């Protein structure tokens, strides 16, 4: 695949509608992300039907916009890459069907991208690490729907080393934020509140800290926050306590993340880097803790720019490029999958 070849990436797995055009050398020619926060905020979370309809309304316009900004026609593309799982099935159907339609109309190869692989391969995008991260590396995938330690051994080659036993870490952030009366999405709001609090004042549990392996658990931490809030009449939690609970919660999560990363690195001694991806990778305390764990092992901690931590089409286009350069394409009959574990991928 020539380095000047370009791919259109489409993302619609949850509540971000996104499109991007990338060259095979990693140059981002154009990108656009449309957040649906306003549509879902009143419900305190993502409503799948609303998300799917928003993707249907906005994805064609965003695709046309990035193609125009890139200065390319569809005849100039080497392929179309669309997220086809895991995620909310309605949104996946919209994005994959639109991508297949473009592929049919313009005679282009179609790549059904696994959303988790797209996050995992972001570290190989030239510019994040000089020359791109080298396989194998340890990935911590931290988002509202996923919390995993993964050995990334190559495109289509992944080994899950550990996962959450209950809540995903982003889900835990959102639930703790709701208990503290913060708006959705809870993660950014809790981080802002935590900056004003004292993490040492209210000690919260640090689940599985020091235990063997690299699995996670957050239900007990969330319950501890709920019990602390319940000691006060509804709506009467002092502002200082809210801030201290937010700070304590965030500190516990960061400590657990660093501990689990150390254990995972023990399980992957050949790792060339510690890579963190997903929406929770945007949290400053978590980044700092993981950078420390990597530094202890003499490894770099690689995290995408904040805009590429959350769902985006740049990572989808790049995953498509990585697959196309290996001759991997998908039939137009490929069905979107709401559940699609990394270890079920082929290369």
């Amino acid at each position: 695949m020539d380095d000047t070849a370009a791919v259109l990436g489409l993302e619609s797995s949850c509540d971000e509608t996104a499109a991007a055009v990338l060259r095979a050398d990693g140059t981002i020619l154009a990108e656009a992300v449309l957040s649906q926060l306003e549509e879902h905020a009143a419900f305190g979370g993502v409503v799948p039907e609303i998300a799917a309809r928003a993707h249907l309304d906005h994805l064609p316009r965003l695709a046309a916009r990035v193609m125009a900004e890139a200065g390319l026609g569809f005849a100039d593309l080497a392929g179309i890459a669309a997220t086809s799982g895991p995620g909310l099935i309605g949104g996946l159907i919209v994005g994959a069907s639109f991508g297949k339609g473009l592929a049919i109309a313009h005679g282009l190869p179609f790549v059904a991208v696994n959303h988790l692989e797209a996050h995992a391969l972001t570290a190989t995008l030239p510019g994040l690490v000089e020359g791109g991260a080298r396989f194998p590396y340890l990935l911590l995938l931290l988002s509202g729907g996923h919390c995993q330690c993964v050995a990334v051994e190559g495109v289509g080659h992944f080994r899950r080393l550990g996962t959450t036993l209950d809540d995903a870490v982003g889900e835990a952030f959102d639930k703790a934020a709701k208990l503290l009366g913060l708006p959705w999405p809870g993660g950014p709001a809790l981080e802002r509140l935590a900056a004003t609090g004292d993490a040492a004042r209210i000690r919260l549990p640090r689940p599985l800290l020091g235990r063997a392996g690299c699995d996670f658990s957050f239900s007990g931490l969330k319950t501890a926050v709920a019990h602390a809030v319940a000691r006060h009449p509804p709506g009467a939690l002092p502002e200082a306590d809210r801030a201290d609970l937010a700070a304590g919660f965030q500190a516990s999560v960061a400590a657990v993340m660093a501990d689990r990363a150390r254990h995972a690195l023990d399980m992957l001694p050949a790792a060339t880097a510690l890579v963190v991806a997903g929406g929770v990778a945007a949290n400053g305390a978590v980044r700092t803790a993981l950078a420390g764990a990597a530094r202890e092992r003499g490894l770099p901690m690689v995290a995408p720019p904040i805009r590429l931590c959350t769902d985006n089409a740049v990572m989808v286009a790049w995953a498509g490029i990585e697959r196309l350069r290996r001759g991997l394409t998908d039939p137009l009959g490929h069905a979107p999958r709401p559940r699609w574990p990394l270890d079920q991928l082929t290369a």
Side-chain angles (χ1 to χ4, degrees):
M1 188 179 190
D2 189 277
D3 276 353
T4 62
V7 167
L8 171 66
L10 305 170
E11 161 61 26
S12 61
S13 63
C14 192
D15 62 329
E16 274 98 10
T17 310
V21 180
L22 258 66
R23 275 206 315 247
D25 64 0
T27 302
I28 301 171
L29 300 179
E31 60 177 308
V33 180
L34 180 68
S35 172
Q36 299 178 15
L37 288 181
E38 290 186 6
E39 287 92 334
H40 301 284
F43 303 97
V46 178
V47 180
E49 179 65 17
I50 292 175
R53 290 180 180 275
H55 293 312
L56 190 62
D57 288 343
H58 300 300
L59 190 56
R61 175 173 56 83
L62 287 187
R65 174 178 149 191
V66 296
M67 289 295 292
E69 290 179 3
L72 298 177
F74 285 99
D76 301 314
L77 296 178
I80 306 289
T83 301
S84 298
L88 301 177
I89 189 61
L92 293 172
I93 289 172
V94 170
S97 298
F98 179 58
K100 291 174 186 177
L102 291 176
I104 292 170
H106 301 285
L108 294 169
F110 174 74
V111 181
V113 171
N114 180 293
H115 181 81
L116 306 182
E117 181 173 51
H119 275 300
L121 296 179
T122 302
T124 66
L125 186 64
L128 283 185
V129 179
E130 187 174 352
R134 293 179 295 107
F135 302 120
Y137 53 82
L138 174 66
L139 169 71
L140 263 68
L141 183 57
L142 312 174
S143 69
H146 305 280
C147 188
Q148 300 178 9
C149 293
V150 179
V152 182
E153 297 170 328
V155 175
H157 295 283
F158 304 90
R159 284 190 297 118
R160 192 174 70 184
L161 305 176
T163 189
T164 181
L165 304 178
D166 37 64
D167 293 344
V169 62
E171 180 184 8
F173 265 101
D174 283 343
K175 288 178 176 178
K178 186 173 183 179
L179 288 166
L180 296 174
L182 297 171
W184 180 86
L190 189 146
E191 183 176 14
R192 288 191 295 271
L193 180 59
T196 68
D198 178 359
R201 179 171 165 260
I202 302 176
R203 181 74 177 178
L204 293 173
R206 299 185 172 186
L208 302 185
L209 192 76
R211 299 277 187 91
C214 57
D215 286 333
F216 302 87
S217 174
F218 298 104
S219 61
L221 177 57
K222 177 191 65 183
T223 299
V225 174
H227 286 168
V229 172
R231 295 189 187 102
H232 302 270
L237 182 66
E239 188 60 27
D241 285 7
R242 289 176 76 238
D244 292 345
L245 278 169
F249 175 87
Q250 182 175 260
S252 290
V253 170
V256 166
M257 287 292 156
D259 176 75
R260 304 288 83 190
R262 293 184 188 99
H263 283 251
L265 287 168
D266 288 340
M267 299 166 71
L268 188 65
T272 63
L274 170 59
V275 175
V276 56
V280 179
N283 181 278
V286 170
R287 281 194 181 222
T288 299
L290 291 175
R295 190 165 51 248
E296 292 169 6
R297 305 300 176 92
L299 296 175
M301 194 279 284
V302 180
I306 298 299
R307 78 179 199 284
L308 298 183
C309 288
T310 52
D311 294 346
N312 64 87
V314 169
M315 67 180 191
V316 176
W318 181 245
I321 288 168
E322 289 281 63
R323 288 193 153 259
L324 283 168
R325 72 166 95 244
R326 291 164 174 79
L328 301 172
T329 61
D330 292 285
L332 295 174
H334 185 281
R337 300 174 61 179
R339 294 186 179 275
W340 191 4
L342 279 171
D343 55 13
Q344 292 182 12
L345 280 175
T346 57

